[in-house]
PDB file of all heavy atoms in Angstrom:
ATOM      1  N   VAL V 118     -14.756  81.712 -25.002  1.00 91.00           N
ATOM      2  CA  VAL V 118     -14.336  82.254 -26.294  1.00 91.00           C
ATOM      3  C   VAL V 118     -13.067  83.069 -26.081  1.00 91.00           C
ATOM      4  O   VAL V 118     -12.995  83.902 -25.171  1.00 91.00           O
ATOM      5  CB  VAL V 118     -15.436  83.130 -26.918  1.00 91.00           C
ATOM      6  CG1 VAL V 118     -14.968  83.739 -28.240  1.00 91.00           C
ATOM      7  CG2 VAL V 118     -16.700  82.294 -27.145  1.00 91.00           C
ATOM      8  N   HIS V 119     -12.062  82.838 -26.923  1.00 92.00           N
ATOM      9  CA  HIS V 119     -10.775  83.500 -26.814  1.00 92.00           C
ATOM     10  C   HIS V 119     -10.416  84.134 -28.159  1.00 92.00           C
ATOM     11  O   HIS V 119     -10.928  83.726 -29.208  1.00 92.00           O
ATOM     12  CB  HIS V 119      -9.680  82.500 -26.420  1.00 92.00           C
ATOM     13  CG  HIS V 119     -10.074  81.568 -25.318  1.00 92.00           C
ATOM     14  ND1 HIS V 119      -9.940  81.889 -23.990  1.00 92.00           N
ATOM     15  CD2 HIS V 119     -10.617  80.328 -25.356  1.00 92.00           C
ATOM     16  CE1 HIS V 119     -10.369  80.883 -23.246  1.00 92.00           C
ATOM     17  NE2 HIS V 119     -10.791  79.928 -24.053  1.00 92.00           N
ATOM     18  N   TRP V 120      -9.527  85.106 -28.117  1.00 92.00           N
ATOM     19  CA  TRP V 120      -9.053  85.684 -29.366  1.00 92.00           C
ATOM     20  C   TRP V 120      -7.623  86.193 -29.203  1.00 92.00           C
ATOM     21  O   TRP V 120      -7.161  86.447 -28.088  1.00 92.00           O
ATOM     22  CB  TRP V 120      -9.970  86.828 -29.827  1.00 92.00           C
ATOM     23  CG  TRP V 120      -9.950  88.057 -28.950  1.00 92.00           C
ATOM     24  CD1 TRP V 120     -10.685  88.268 -27.825  1.00 92.00           C
ATOM     25  CD2 TRP V 120      -9.164  89.233 -29.149  1.00 92.00           C
ATOM     26  NE1 TRP V 120     -10.410  89.493 -27.292  1.00 92.00           N
ATOM     27  CE2 TRP V 120      -9.472  90.134 -28.080  1.00 92.00           C
ATOM     28  CE3 TRP V 120      -8.226  89.630 -30.089  1.00 92.00           C
ATOM     29  CZ2 TRP V 120      -8.875  91.369 -27.965  1.00 92.00           C
ATOM     30  CZ3 TRP V 120      -7.638  90.887 -29.979  1.00 92.00           C
ATOM     31  CH2 TRP V 120      -7.964  91.737 -28.923  1.00 92.00           C
ATOM     32  N   THR V 121      -6.941  86.290 -30.337  1.00 92.00           N
ATOM     33  CA  THR V 121      -5.597  86.836 -30.354  1.00 92.00           C
ATOM     34  C   THR V 121      -5.383  87.588 -31.655  1.00 92.00           C
ATOM     35  O   THR V 121      -6.090  87.353 -32.642  1.00 92.00           O
ATOM     36  CB  THR V 121      -4.544  85.718 -30.206  1.00 92.00           C
ATOM     37  OG1 THR V 121      -3.269  86.295 -29.932  1.00 92.00           O
ATOM     38  CG2 THR V 121      -4.450  84.866 -31.475  1.00 92.00           C
ATOM     39  N   ASP V 122      -4.440  88.498 -31.635  1.00 91.00           N
ATOM     40  CA  ASP V 122      -4.081  89.266 -32.824  1.00 91.00           C
ATOM     41  C   ASP V 122      -2.856  88.618 -33.454  1.00 91.00           C
ATOM     42  O   ASP V 122      -1.756  88.701 -32.922  1.00 91.00           O
ATOM     43  CB  ASP V 122      -3.788  90.716 -32.438  1.00 91.00           C
ATOM     44  CG  ASP V 122      -3.570  91.617 -33.648  1.00 91.00           C
ATOM     45  OD1 ASP V 122      -3.380  91.090 -34.767  1.00 91.00           O
ATOM     46  OD2 ASP V 122      -3.582  92.849 -33.484  1.00 91.00           O
ATOM     47  N   ALA V 123      -3.052  87.963 -34.589  1.00 88.00           N
ATOM     48  CA  ALA V 123      -1.958  87.239 -35.241  1.00 88.00           C
ATOM     49  C   ALA V 123      -0.899  88.168 -35.801  1.00 88.00           C
ATOM     50  O   ALA V 123       0.235  87.744 -36.039  1.00 88.00           O
ATOM     51  CB  ALA V 123      -2.508  86.352 -36.354  1.00 88.00           C
ATOM     52  N   ASP V 124      -1.235  89.434 -36.022  1.00 83.00           N
ATOM     53  CA  ASP V 124      -0.263  90.377 -36.582  1.00 83.00           C
ATOM     54  C   ASP V 124       0.742  90.870 -35.543  1.00 83.00           C
ATOM     55  O   ASP V 124       1.724  91.510 -35.900  1.00 83.00           O
ATOM     56  CB  ASP V 124      -0.971  91.580 -37.206  1.00 83.00           C
ATOM     57  CG  ASP V 124      -1.469  91.278 -38.613  1.00 83.00           C
ATOM     58  OD1 ASP V 124      -1.256  90.138 -39.078  1.00 83.00           O
ATOM     59  OD2 ASP V 124      -2.074  92.168 -39.233  1.00 83.00           O
ATOM     60  N   VAL V 125       0.482  90.584 -34.263  1.00 72.00           N
ATOM     61  CA  VAL V 125       1.434  90.997 -33.230  1.00 72.00           C
ATOM     62  C   VAL V 125       2.776  90.317 -33.465  1.00 72.00           C
ATOM     63  O   VAL V 125       3.837  90.884 -33.236  1.00 72.00           O
ATOM     64  CB  VAL V 125       0.886  90.649 -31.828  1.00 72.00           C
ATOM     65  CG1 VAL V 125       1.954  90.864 -30.765  1.00 72.00           C
ATOM     66  CG2 VAL V 125      -0.337  91.507 -31.521  1.00 72.00           C
ATOM     67  N   PHE V 126       2.713  89.091 -33.938  1.00 58.00           N
ATOM     68  CA  PHE V 126       3.931  88.339 -34.223  1.00 58.00           C
ATOM     69  C   PHE V 126       4.108  88.303 -35.738  1.00 58.00           C
ATOM     70  O   PHE V 126       3.691  87.371 -36.412  1.00 58.00           O
ATOM     71  CB  PHE V 126       3.854  86.931 -33.641  1.00 58.00           C
ATOM     72  CG  PHE V 126       3.785  86.940 -32.140  1.00 58.00           C
ATOM     73  CD1 PHE V 126       2.572  87.087 -31.484  1.00 58.00           C
ATOM     74  CD2 PHE V 126       4.936  86.844 -31.383  1.00 58.00           C
ATOM     75  CE1 PHE V 126       2.509  87.109 -30.101  1.00 58.00           C
ATOM     76  CE2 PHE V 126       4.875  86.874 -29.991  1.00 58.00           C
ATOM     77  CZ  PHE V 126       3.668  87.008 -29.361  1.00 58.00           C
ATOM     78  N   GLY V 127       4.734  89.347 -36.260  1.00 48.00           N
ATOM     79  CA  GLY V 127       4.869  89.476 -37.711  1.00 48.00           C
ATOM     80  C   GLY V 127       5.869  88.540 -38.316  1.00 48.00           C
ATOM     81  O   GLY V 127       5.770  88.212 -39.496  1.00 48.00           O
ATOM     82  N   GLN V 128       6.849  88.081 -37.541  1.00 49.00           N
ATOM     83  CA  GLN V 128       7.875  87.186 -38.077  1.00 49.00           C
ATOM     84  C   GLN V 128       7.640  85.782 -37.534  1.00 49.00           C
ATOM     85  O   GLN V 128       7.981  85.466 -36.412  1.00 49.00           O
ATOM     86  CB  GLN V 128       9.270  87.681 -37.682  1.00 49.00           C
ATOM     87  CG  GLN V 128       9.577  89.088 -38.169  1.00 49.00           C
ATOM     88  CD  GLN V 128       9.563  89.181 -39.686  1.00 49.00           C
ATOM     89  OE1 GLN V 128      10.001  88.253 -40.357  1.00 49.00           O
ATOM     90  NE2 GLN V 128       9.053  90.279 -40.205  1.00 49.00           N
ATOM     91  N   VAL V 129       7.034  84.946 -38.349  1.00 45.00           N
ATOM     92  CA  VAL V 129       6.736  83.577 -37.963  1.00 45.00           C
ATOM     93  C   VAL V 129       7.335  82.648 -38.989  1.00 45.00           C
ATOM     94  O   VAL V 129       7.149  82.839 -40.191  1.00 45.00           O
ATOM     95  CB  VAL V 129       5.211  83.325 -37.869  1.00 45.00           C
ATOM     96  CG1 VAL V 129       4.927  81.881 -37.495  1.00 45.00           C
ATOM     97  CG2 VAL V 129       4.590  84.271 -36.860  1.00 45.00           C
ATOM     98  N   ALA V 130       8.087  81.679 -38.533  1.00 47.00           N
ATOM     99  CA  ALA V 130       8.721  80.742 -39.458  1.00 47.00           C
ATOM    100  C   ALA V 130       7.657  79.899 -40.142  1.00 47.00           C
ATOM    101  O   ALA V 130       6.848  79.249 -39.487  1.00 47.00           O
ATOM    102  CB  ALA V 130       9.697  79.847 -38.699  1.00 47.00           C
ATOM    103  N   LEU V 131       7.652  79.939 -41.459  1.00 45.00           N
ATOM    104  CA  LEU V 131       6.662  79.199 -42.224  1.00 45.00           C
ATOM    105  C   LEU V 131       7.302  78.087 -43.039  1.00 45.00           C
ATOM    106  O   LEU V 131       6.726  77.621 -44.008  1.00 45.00           O
ATOM    107  CB  LEU V 131       5.905  80.146 -43.159  1.00 45.00           C
ATOM    108  CG  LEU V 131       5.058  81.219 -42.474  1.00 45.00           C
ATOM    109  CD1 LEU V 131       4.406  82.104 -43.506  1.00 45.00           C
ATOM    110  CD2 LEU V 131       4.006  80.585 -41.596  1.00 45.00           C
ATOM    111  N   ALA V 132       8.481  77.686 -42.659  1.00 45.00           N
ATOM    112  CA  ALA V 132       9.154  76.644 -43.412  1.00 45.00           C
ATOM    113  C   ALA V 132       8.317  75.370 -43.417  1.00 45.00           C
ATOM    114  O   ALA V 132       7.845  74.906 -42.382  1.00 45.00           O
ATOM    115  CB  ALA V 132      10.525  76.366 -42.792  1.00 45.00           C
ATOM    116  N   GLY V 133       8.147  74.801 -44.597  1.00 47.00           N
ATOM    117  CA  GLY V 133       7.410  73.563 -44.721  1.00 47.00           C
ATOM    118  C   GLY V 133       5.908  73.733 -44.679  1.00 47.00           C
ATOM    119  O   GLY V 133       5.180  72.752 -44.675  1.00 47.00           O
ATOM    120  N   THR V 134       5.400  74.977 -44.642  1.00 45.00           N
ATOM    121  CA  THR V 134       3.956  75.165 -44.587  1.00 45.00           C
ATOM    122  C   THR V 134       3.292  74.689 -45.875  1.00 45.00           C
ATOM    123  O   THR V 134       3.857  74.791 -46.958  1.00 45.00           O
ATOM    124  CB  THR V 134       3.604  76.639 -44.344  1.00 45.00           C
ATOM    125  OG1 THR V 134       2.180  76.731 -44.244  1.00 45.00           O
ATOM    126  CG2 THR V 134       4.056  77.520 -45.500  1.00 45.00           C
ATOM    127  N   VAL V 135       2.078  74.153 -45.732  1.00 44.00           N
ATOM    128  CA  VAL V 135       1.322  73.716 -46.897  1.00 44.00           C
ATOM    129  C   VAL V 135       0.146  74.651 -47.136  1.00 44.00           C
ATOM    130  O   VAL V 135      -0.758  74.340 -47.888  1.00 44.00           O
ATOM    131  CB  VAL V 135       0.813  72.263 -46.705  1.00 44.00           C
ATOM    132  CG1 VAL V 135       1.970  71.296 -46.677  1.00 44.00           C
ATOM    133  CG2 VAL V 135      -0.023  72.142 -45.426  1.00 44.00           C
ATOM    134  N   VAL V 136       0.149  75.790 -46.469  1.00 47.00           N
ATOM    135  CA  VAL V 136      -0.928  76.764 -46.601  1.00 47.00           C
ATOM    136  C   VAL V 136      -0.430  77.940 -47.424  1.00 47.00           C
ATOM    137  O   VAL V 136       0.608  78.531 -47.124  1.00 47.00           O
ATOM    138  CB  VAL V 136      -1.406  77.246 -45.216  1.00 47.00           C
ATOM    139  CG1 VAL V 136      -2.468  78.316 -45.370  1.00 47.00           C
ATOM    140  CG2 VAL V 136      -1.949  76.065 -44.420  1.00 47.00           C
ATOM    141  N   ASP V 137      -1.152  78.262 -48.478  1.00 53.00           N
ATOM    142  CA  ASP V 137      -0.825  79.430 -49.277  1.00 53.00           C
ATOM    143  C   ASP V 137      -1.176  80.658 -48.461  1.00 53.00           C
ATOM    144  O   ASP V 137      -2.310  80.804 -48.005  1.00 53.00           O
ATOM    145  CB  ASP V 137      -1.631  79.391 -50.578  1.00 53.00           C
ATOM    146  CG  ASP V 137      -1.261  80.535 -51.526  1.00 53.00           C
ATOM    147  OD1 ASP V 137      -0.433  81.383 -51.134  1.00 53.00           O
ATOM    148  OD2 ASP V 137      -1.811  80.569 -52.639  1.00 53.00           O
ATOM    149  N   ASP V 138      -0.169  81.567 -48.254  1.00 56.00           N
ATOM    150  CA  ASP V 138      -0.430  82.721 -47.396  1.00 56.00           C
ATOM    151  C   ASP V 138      -1.242  83.802 -48.093  1.00 56.00           C
ATOM    152  O   ASP V 138      -1.571  84.815 -47.487  1.00 56.00           O
ATOM    153  CB  ASP V 138       0.878  83.306 -46.856  1.00 56.00           C
ATOM    154  CG  ASP V 138       1.779  83.832 -47.970  1.00 56.00           C
ATOM    155  OD1 ASP V 138       1.389  83.727 -49.153  1.00 56.00           O
ATOM    156  OD2 ASP V 138       2.865  84.334 -47.653  1.00 56.00           O
ATOM    157  N   GLU V 139      -1.606  83.601 -49.350  1.00 62.00           N
ATOM    158  CA  GLU V 139      -2.437  84.579 -50.040  1.00 62.00           C
ATOM    159  C   GLU V 139      -3.841  84.571 -49.437  1.00 62.00           C
ATOM    160  O   GLU V 139      -4.455  83.519 -49.263  1.00 62.00           O
ATOM    161  CB  GLU V 139      -2.514  84.257 -51.534  1.00 62.00           C
ATOM    162  CG  GLU V 139      -3.298  85.298 -52.325  1.00 62.00           C
ATOM    163  CD  GLU V 139      -3.313  84.998 -53.822  1.00 62.00           C
ATOM    164  OE1 GLU V 139      -2.638  84.041 -54.241  1.00 62.00           O
ATOM    165  OE2 GLU V 139      -4.007  85.724 -54.536  1.00 62.00           O
ATOM    166  N   GLY V 140      -4.348  85.731 -49.133  1.00 73.00           N
ATOM    167  CA  GLY V 140      -5.662  85.837 -48.505  1.00 73.00           C
ATOM    168  C   GLY V 140      -5.588  86.000 -47.009  1.00 73.00           C
ATOM    169  O   GLY V 140      -6.583  86.367 -46.386  1.00 73.00           O
ATOM    170  N   PHE V 141      -4.438  85.728 -46.406  1.00 79.00           N
ATOM    171  CA  PHE V 141      -4.270  85.930 -44.978  1.00 79.00           C
ATOM    172  C   PHE V 141      -3.701  87.321 -44.714  1.00 79.00           C
ATOM    173  O   PHE V 141      -3.043  87.920 -45.570  1.00 79.00           O
ATOM    174  CB  PHE V 141      -3.342  84.862 -44.387  1.00 79.00           C
ATOM    175  CG  PHE V 141      -3.942  83.490 -44.377  1.00 79.00           C
ATOM    176  CD1 PHE V 141      -3.732  82.618 -45.427  1.00 79.00           C
ATOM    177  CD2 PHE V 141      -4.740  83.085 -43.321  1.00 79.00           C
ATOM    178  CE1 PHE V 141      -4.295  81.350 -45.427  1.00 79.00           C
ATOM    179  CE2 PHE V 141      -5.310  81.818 -43.313  1.00 79.00           C
ATOM    180  CZ  PHE V 141      -5.089  80.953 -44.367  1.00 79.00           C
ATOM    181  N   SER V 142      -3.952  87.831 -43.521  1.00 75.00           N
ATOM    182  CA  SER V 142      -3.521  89.188 -43.203  1.00 75.00           C
ATOM    183  C   SER V 142      -2.009  89.286 -43.020  1.00 75.00           C
ATOM    184  O   SER V 142      -1.452  90.377 -43.088  1.00 75.00           O
ATOM    185  CB  SER V 142      -4.216  89.671 -41.927  1.00 75.00           C
ATOM    186  OG  SER V 142      -3.834  88.868 -40.822  1.00 75.00           O
ATOM    187  N   GLY V 143      -1.353  88.176 -42.768  1.00 82.00           N
ATOM    188  CA  GLY V 143       0.089  88.195 -42.546  1.00 82.00           C
ATOM    189  C   GLY V 143       0.597  86.815 -42.234  1.00 82.00           C
ATOM    190  O   GLY V 143      -0.172  85.833 -42.176  1.00 82.00           O
ATOM    191  N   PRO V 144       1.888  86.668 -42.009  1.00 85.00           N
ATOM    192  CA  PRO V 144       2.469  85.358 -41.729  1.00 85.00           C
ATOM    193  C   PRO V 144       1.970  84.727 -40.442  1.00 85.00           C
ATOM    194  O   PRO V 144       1.917  83.510 -40.333  1.00 85.00           O
ATOM    195  CB  PRO V 144       3.967  85.652 -41.662  1.00 85.00           C
ATOM    196  CG  PRO V 144       4.072  87.114 -41.369  1.00 85.00           C
ATOM    197  CD  PRO V 144       2.896  87.739 -42.046  1.00 85.00           C
ATOM    198  N   GLY V 145       1.596  85.542 -39.459  1.00 87.00           N
ATOM    199  CA  GLY V 145       1.066  84.981 -38.224  1.00 87.00           C
ATOM    200  C   GLY V 145      -0.230  84.236 -38.448  1.00 87.00           C
ATOM    201  O   GLY V 145      -0.436  83.132 -37.942  1.00 87.00           O
ATOM    202  N   ALA V 146      -1.139  84.830 -39.223  1.00 88.00           N
ATOM    203  CA  ALA V 146      -2.407  84.178 -39.537  1.00 88.00           C
ATOM    204  C   ALA V 146      -2.178  82.938 -40.388  1.00 88.00           C
ATOM    205  O   ALA V 146      -2.832  81.900 -40.197  1.00 88.00           O
ATOM    206  CB  ALA V 146      -3.334  85.154 -40.251  1.00 88.00           C
TER     207      ALA V 146
END
Side-chain angles (χ1 to χ4, degrees):
V118 178
H119 315 274
W120 68 275
T121 193
D122 187 346
D124 278 0
V125 171
F126 296 85
Q128 301 298 323
V129 179
L131 296 178
T134 183
V135 293
V136 177
D137 184 356
D138 63 359
E139 184 177 355
F141 291 92
S142 63

